[in-house]
Amino acid sequence: MSSAKRSLLPRATGFAHQLLEQNLRPGDHAIDATCGNGHDTAFLCRLVGERGAVIALDLQDAAIAATRAKLASEGLEACLLQGCHSELPSLISPYLPDNGKVEAIMFNLGYLPKGDKSVITEAGTTIRALDQACSLLADFGLLTIAVYTGHDGGVAEGEAVDLWSRGLPQDHFSVISYCFENQRNSPPHLIAVQKKPASA
Ligand SMILES: C[S@@+](CC[C@H](N)C(=O)[O-])C[C@H]1O[C@@H](n2cnc3c(N)ncnc32)[C@H](O)[C@@H]1O
């Protein structure tokens, strides 16, 4: 009998990490559009390595401080920017590579865990940011969106994101949705979008 370890299906955030691990390479560029406590930013930094670059963004100074501390504790570096992700292009343009494209963009929606739960991502700014994110993706680039519906406003935002994702043109993007169908307490689900190269 094989002794290979078996594993449970990953949570939405874990599945996002698996997809990014398969696609990101050392030297790539990535954006964390909701850096929060810095876990995803640190994850992206580890994947792209010292030759790559990560830009991390959050609305709240508490999140920027938490991400800065997380990176420092692991000896990692990223470009940290405070602002709304609906202003993505103007905030990040000075830090983009020459071709203006990135290989990965992560969104982890909702509120800052252990932070101010009244500050949440909202459908209007989220959809605007997602549209902008799509135009920043390099060929084969991945956009991952972890969607939380358990808090006030979460269902409306989740429905808006699902609808937005289904409307992306098939010729240019592949879109998947990953969710647990039978779990209590509104587990997060994942939308992942990949930019197809022109010839595909
Ligand atoms: C679920 S947390 C992110 C967790 C983070 N990915 C991590 O690894 O710790 C969501 C974050 O989105 C941020 N946020 C809310 N609205 C935003 C906006 N319009 N632009 C940028 N960040 C926003 C919140 O401040 C919060 O820190």
Side-chain angles (χ1 to χ4, degrees), residues 32-40 57-60 63 83-85 108-113 119-121 125:
D32 184 349
T34 52
C35 67
N37 290 315
H39 300 287
D40 291 328
L57 185 72
D58 203 287
L59 201 55
Q60 300 188 68
C84 176
H85 45 217
N108 195 330
L109 303 177
Y111 56 81
L112 177 65
V119 181
I120 57 169
T121 54
T125 42

Side-chain angles (χ1 to χ4, degrees), residues 10-25:
R11 297 189 309 178
T13 46
F15 190 50
H17 284 203
Q18 287 186 4
L19 294 173
L20 290 160
E21 276 164 351
Q22 283 169 19
N23 274 272
L24 271 181
R25 302 279 177 268

Side-chain angles (χ1 to χ4, degrees), residues 11-188:
R11 297 189 309 178
T13 46
F15 190 50
H17 284 203
Q18 287 186 4
L19 294 173
L20 290 160
E21 276 164 351
Q22 283 169 19
N23 274 272
L24 271 181
R25 302 279 177 268
D28 281 348
H29 289 74
I31 298 171
D32 184 349
T34 52
C35 67
N37 290 315
H39 300 287
D40 291 328
T41 305
F43 166 77
L44 291 170
C45 287
R46 282 183 229 113
L47 287 183
V48 304
E50 288 183 5
R51 287 192 294 116
V54 176
I55 305 168
L57 185 72
D58 203 287
L59 201 55
Q60 300 188 68
D61 50 5
I64 298 295
T67 298
R68 181 171 291 117
K70 168 81 178 159
L71 295 178
S73 73
E74 297 193 27
L76 299 168
E77 281 183 28
C79 170
L80 303 183
L81 302 172
Q82 187 174 354
C84 176
H85 45 217
S86 65
E87 306 299 330
L88 204 54
S90 58
L91 283 167
I92 65 168
S93 63
Y95 310 100
L96 288 174
D98 290 345
N99 68 2
K101 302 291 181 190
V102 301
E103 283 73 25
I105 307 178
M106 296 186 78
F107 284 75
N108 195 330
L109 303 177
Y111 56 81
L112 177 65
K114 300 184 191 149
D116 182 349
K117 293 191 169 53
S118 70
V119 181
I120 57 169
T121 54
E122 296 186 28
T125 42
T126 298
I127 299 301
R128 190 175 152 167
L130 292 175
D131 275 332
Q132 295 167 347
C134 279
S135 56
L136 290 166
L137 283 181
D139 287 351
F140 299 101
L142 275 179
L143 165 62
T144 65
I145 312 148
V147 183
Y148 297 78
T149 56
H151 59 282
D152 281 350
V155 169
E157 184 184 39
E159 286 174 355
V161 171
D162 291 346
L163 190 65
W164 170 85
S165 71
R166 284 185 223 115
L168 287 173
Q170 184 183 340
D171 289 349
H172 300 292
F173 299 98
S174 297
V175 180
I176 61 167
S177 172
Y178 175 81
C179 64
F180 285 93
E181 297 287 3
N182 67 337
Q183 282 192 359
R184 290 182 287 272
N185 302 327
S186 314

